[in-house]
Amino acid sequence: MTGSAITGWGKCLPPTVLTNHDLEMLVDTSDDWITSRTGIKERRISHVGTAELATVAGFRALAAAGLEPPDVDLVSVATCTPDMLLPSAASLVQDRLGAVNAGAVDQNAACSGFLYSLITASGMVQAGIVESALVIGAERLTYFIDFTDRGTAVLFGDGAGAVVVQATDEPGGLKGSRMGSDGSLAKLLWAPGSGTATDRVALESNHKHLAVEMNGPEVFKKAVTAMGDAAAAVVEQAGWALDDVDILIPHQANIRIIDATARRLHLDPAKVFINIASYGNTSAATIPIALTEALEMGRVEPGARIVFAAFGAGLSWAAAAYEFGSRTEPLGVSDAELPPTDGDVMALLAENFAYFGGGPDR
Ligand code: UT7
């Protein structure tokens, strides 16, 4: 079987920032509470749709791999917040990129989605079904966040990250993988009213809004065990000792969940990549954004043994043990950029406040 390697990486963070202090104007919370209970200081709010975030991240990852869009066989987008129900976000991205030879598909496993897509694409490359895949995690979750609900308002942010997976003769690549789900716990984190099980007429007459709803403490408990178990399992499957792990790149939902996962692997905290303070929980975009930042910061050495672990709605979880290739520098840099915006976060959220209520003048 052929090997697979991550040969390109890129991220796209919309520039508009919503700080904890901004949130103090929107909902009954405080910078102290958010920082100490989650580790988040600020998050980004997108002025464009998910496909546009994904496209910019995709261009950047392709440039880092030294590929042109027509070189790619598959565009896979992990998202639970596509621009629309159909076509898929991936089809929109495939067109915008000019990836004219690629198939395109979305995968929705919520916050675990990118790892599901990475594992699937790596398997397809290893089986010889495709030679190269652009795997993107992209979310505009704040569109579905009710900023009058302090249980969710403080947690989520928007963004996109991408990797290129290519066939290679080099050793390494995906060494272990786990994907899990417990749909009996679906109601702990869901967006009821967002699909075909909805009575649209009742929804409208009850003035019910389409929002992400979460039972935070219950999700927290399940996340700690499922992420830790999956991470430990892939280390064992890879045949690594815990000491062999060079870096843990976990989903960034809560600093206390990250710490618990690291403790489960007996990892030195210096081996854990954390950027939750800057972006909050960007769902499926979190891990490719974090991997890209870790590479940009020189935190991923050639041949690094990486553990990825994620958890999210479903409930779903996934982990991967990944031996990185010998190249950790990008081959090229893309000039793709989002359209400009003036950075006025309350103006950007005005449509959200008009829909859900609330806002700085509440
Ligand atoms: O990526 C998808 C997976 N999602 C997650 O993994 C999220 C998992 N859950 C969590 O991260 C945490 O449960 C939260 C951050 C959502 C909440 O933290 P917690 O420590 O579980 O808080 P809690 O819900 O148990 O609430 C503790 C207290 C309560 O007040 P009382 O009853 O003790 O007086 C809450 O009302 O904190 C209050 N509280 C807040 N206070 C200020 C809850 N949310 C807030 C808030 N600001 N935003």
Side-chain angles (χ1 to χ4, degrees), residues 27-30 33-34 37-38 111 149-152 154-156 189 214-221 223 251-254 256-257 281 283 311-313:
V27 72
D28 182 15
T29 193
S30 66
W33 191 95
I34 303 169
R37 303 305 293 168
T38 73
C111 299
D149 172 10
R150 69 179 182 173
T152 54
V154 303
L155 300 175
F156 297 100
L189 175 50
M214 182 173 71
N215 179 333
E218 288 306 315
V219 174
F220 186 99
K221 280 188 241 162
H251 182 49
Q252 315 271 321
N254 189 312
R256 294 178 290 137
I257 299 174
N281 180 351
S283 185
F311 186 87

Side-chain angles (χ1 to χ4, degrees), residues 155-168:
L155 300 175
F156 297 100
D158 303 329
V163 300
V164 173
V165 178
Q166 281 185 273
T168 173

Side-chain angles (χ1 to χ4, degrees), residues 159-245:
V163 300
V164 173
V165 178
Q166 281 185 273
T168 173
D169 294 331
E170 271 191 41
L174 187 66
K175 296 290 184 183
S177 62
R178 273 285 184 286
M179 293 177 280
S181 171
D182 184 351
S184 73
L185 302 176
K187 291 181 181 177
L188 295 182
L189 175 50
W190 66 344
S194 55
T196 59
T198 310
D199 179 336
R200 286 173 285 194
V201 178
L203 189 78
E204 216 166 282
S205 56
N206 292 337
H207 303 289
K208 178 119 173 58
H209 294 111
L210 196 182
V212 171
E213 297 174 10
M214 182 173 71
N215 179 333
E218 288 306 315
V219 174
F220 186 99
K221 280 188 241 162
K222 185 71 187 171
V224 166
T225 48
M227 246 171 87
D229 287 352
V234 297
V235 172
E236 194 182 327
Q237 192 187 0
W240 300 346
L242 291 177
D243 265 2
D244 294 334
V245 176

Side-chain angles (χ1 to χ4, degrees), residues 98-173:
V100 289
N101 297 310
V105 66
D106 285 3
Q107 288 202 26
N108 177 359
C111 299
S112 315
F114 175 78
L115 287 187
Y116 271 73
S117 294
L118 178 67
I119 291 165
T120 314
S122 301
M124 288 174 76
V125 168
Q126 287 169 0
I129 297 167
V130 297
E131 265 188 37
S132 60
L134 177 61
V135 183
I136 304 173
E139 302 279 18
R140 191 188 185 191
L141 210 54
T142 63
Y143 183 88
F144 295 108
I145 296 303
D146 174 355
F147 284 95
T148 67
D149 172 10
R150 69 179 182 173
T152 54
V154 303
L155 300 175
F156 297 100
D158 303 329
V163 300
V164 173
V165 178
Q166 281 185 273
T168 173
D169 294 331
E170 271 191 41

